[in-house]
Amino acid sequence: MAAVVATPVGAARVQLARPAARSSVRAQAAVKLEAPNYVGKDEVPSTLLRPGIDDPESMRGKFERMIRDVQNKVCSAIEEVDGTSFRQDAWIRPSGGGGITRVLQEGNVWEKAGVAVSVVYGSMPAESYRVAIGKDVPFEKDDRVPFFAAGVSSVMHPWNPHCPTMHFNYRYFETEDWKGIPGQWWFGGGTDITPCYLNEEDMKHFHGTYKAVCDRHDAAWYNKFKLNCDDYFMIPHRGETRGMGGIFFDDLNDRDKDAIFAFSSDCANNIVESYVPIIKEHKNDPYAPRQKEWQQVRRGRYVEFNLVYDRGTIFGLKTGGRIESILMSMPLTASWRYDYQVDPQGPEQKFLDAVRNPREQRWV
């Protein structure tokens, strides 16, 4: 799949895949893609649930209301800091559901920031089901699994290299009975931070916010989900994590559904508190060309992880999701400098030491 990275003068334009790779993805998805029906910037439906089919008081309805509220809160907080408004696109999926994507591009503080919600129904290839749950499931080539999926996801890429990128994703997933396997449900998500310089006070604030959230629900969860995050965002071919972690949980269904929903909601409602104060602190910090160059190199690592390893991206591509929303996470600019070296005594090396030894980092 190709991604074009452009804008400010001197930034590289890059293509990330050979035609053969693109053909492979196209061949797998050819009969599954659906062109979304755009309903405009202002004509946002009051709900993306199916009238007369989905109970608004079910978990499907409660989760949709939560993620749409989070989208509103996060976008309002970002607009207040940036002074620029998000562009909004609403779309409807012909086979059921749809989404609302908001993107702020080339703002005053953020190079690119996006917050998207989606509520999707249909049937997915059994292969995608296996990818989504991260487990081996026996299936025939043409098997398809009925599903419901709802989620909110976001990536924020600031201009200033002293301001970290932030990502969050919170989702709810259901499958119906299939081939003797009972219908399943689970929650997943997390919030993580990706600076390109290590500021310990910033990391204490970010991780401390999420430890407090976890502790309100289960005292064991912060350490568990912090390690999950370090493991999930590892870039194996680089031997380093994408960033400085956070919390990450998946396939969470080991207790009452409403209890996990309360935890997911608490996490999502602390996104602004965990991140925006850090941006306010550093958005006007001075920086040198070499520091901007380092930021672009680290953005390249971000792209590598998202396109090669991220399960959400893979799931979206294989189920015919809206491509603009799936690739919303890509930065506008990035760099892949050949054999890039850093000063072994400099702050860049300190950062590399941290992402190459993530389990040793204890911020709280």
Side-chain angles (χ1 to χ4, degrees):
M1 167 155 280
V4 178
V5 185
T7 44
V9 176
R13 291 179 179 267
V14 296
Q15 228 170 358
L16 300 178
R18 295 170 295 189
R22 289 197 297 272
S23 298
S24 174
V25 171
R26 186 164 53 245
Q28 292 176 17
V31 298
K32 304 164 190 146
L33 294 176
E34 298 183 39
N37 295 325
Y38 293 95
V39 297
K41 298 180 180 180
D42 301 315
E43 301 172 28
V44 178
S46 59
T47 179
L48 294 166
L49 299 180
R50 295 169 296 183
I53 299 176
D54 299 302
D55 180 0
E57 299 309 313
S58 68
M59 185 54 67
R60 295 184 179 193
K62 290 193 289 187
F63 201 84
E64 185 201 14
R65 289 192 293 275
M66 186 273 283
I67 61 178
R68 291 184 68 166
D69 184 55
V70 167
Q71 184 183 48
N72 289 336
K73 288 179 179 177
V74 172
C75 288
S76 293
I78 297 305
E79 288 178 341
E80 182 180 353
V81 175
D82 194 276
T84 306
S85 298
F86 281 82
R87 164 187 168 173
Q88 176 171 275
D89 293 316
W91 52 278
I92 298 296
R93 191 168 181 261
S95 64
I100 303 164
T101 302
R102 295 178 185 171
V103 174
L104 185 159
Q105 193 161 277
E106 296 180 290
N108 297 310
V109 177
W110 280 274
E111 176 182 296
K112 187 180 180 185
V115 186
V117 297
S118 63
V119 176
V120 178
Y121 323 81
S123 67
M124 64 179 177
E127 178 188 2
S128 298
Y129 177 65
R130 178 184 60 79
V131 171
I133 64 175
K135 300 176 182 177
D136 284 332
V137 176
F139 62 88
E140 301 296 328
K141 179 181 178 182
D142 296 325
D143 280 349
R144 298 184 70 82
V145 183
F147 75 91
F148 166 88
V152 57
S153 61
S154 173
V155 176
M156 309 269 172
H157 294 293
W159 291 110
N160 194 309
H162 298 295
C163 288
T165 286
M166 184 272 294
H167 159 261
F168 69 84
N169 176 287
Y170 292 94
R171 57 197 178 276
Y172 174 69
F173 197 93
E174 288 184 4
T175 62
E176 298 178 10
D177 294 353
W178 176 69
K179 297 188 72 170
I181 302 173
Q184 301 184 46
W185 60 265
W186 59 88
F187 293 81
T191 306
D192 61 279
I193 196 160
T194 304
C196 52
Y197 287 98
L198 176 54
N199 183 303
E200 295 189 5
E201 290 304 312
D202 292 346
M203 295 305 99
K204 288 176 182 177
H205 171 81
F206 178 82
H207 283 268
T209 300
Y210 277 99
K211 184 179 187 305
V213 172
C214 290
D215 287 352
R216 286 195 285 272
H217 300 269
D218 189 320
W221 272 355
Y222 173 75
N223 287 336
K224 178 181 179 180
F225 295 156
K226 192 269 185 188
L227 293 178
N228 285 353
C229 192
D230 293 338
D231 291 343
Y232 181 78
F233 290 105
M234 175 62 65
I235 308 173
H237 63 267
R238 296 285 187 182
E240 60 192 44
T241 54
R242 188 179 73 176
M244 293 291 177
I247 60 168
F248 177 81
F249 60 94
D250 213 359
D251 303 340
L252 193 59
N253 60 0
D254 64 347
R255 60 197 70 191
D256 180 76
K257 188 182 287 190
D258 284 322
I260 304 176
F261 172 67
F263 171 63
S264 298
S265 301
D266 201 0
C267 289
N269 282 305
N270 274 275
I271 291 161
V272 173
E273 169 57 28
S274 71
Y275 179 60
V276 171
I278 297 173
I279 297 300
K280 288 181 176 178
E281 179 71 20
H282 299 292
K283 66 179 182 176
N284 295 318
D285 286 2
Y287 58 88
R290 176 73 175 181
Q291 292 170 317
K292 187 66 178 179
E293 179 180 282
W294 172 242
Q295 180 196 54
Q296 299 302 291
V297 171
R298 295 310 307 177
R299 292 271 173 85
R301 302 289 201 271
Y302 204 96
V303 172
E304 289 174 26
F305 176 86
N306 281 27
L307 293 184
V308 178
Y309 301 110
D310 184 64
R311 291 213 305 260
T313 302
I314 295 169
F315 175 78
L317 295 175
K318 289 192 174 183
T319 56
R322 181 181 181 242
I323 194 64
E324 290 296 331
S325 297
I326 295 167
L327 297 184
M328 177 190 72
S329 65
M330 296 297 103
L332 283 183
T333 60
S335 175
W336 285 264
R337 292 179 177 271
Y338 181 74
D339 194 25
Y340 191 80
Q341 300 295 320
V342 301
D343 178 354
Q345 305 302 319
E348 293 82 8
Q349 185 61 53
K350 181 180 179 182
F351 174 89
L352 287 175
D353 290 341
V355 297
R356 290 170 181 171
N357 301 282
R359 287 175 173 265
E360 296 177 9
Q361 308 305 314
R362 293 289 182 266
W363 306 114
V364 293

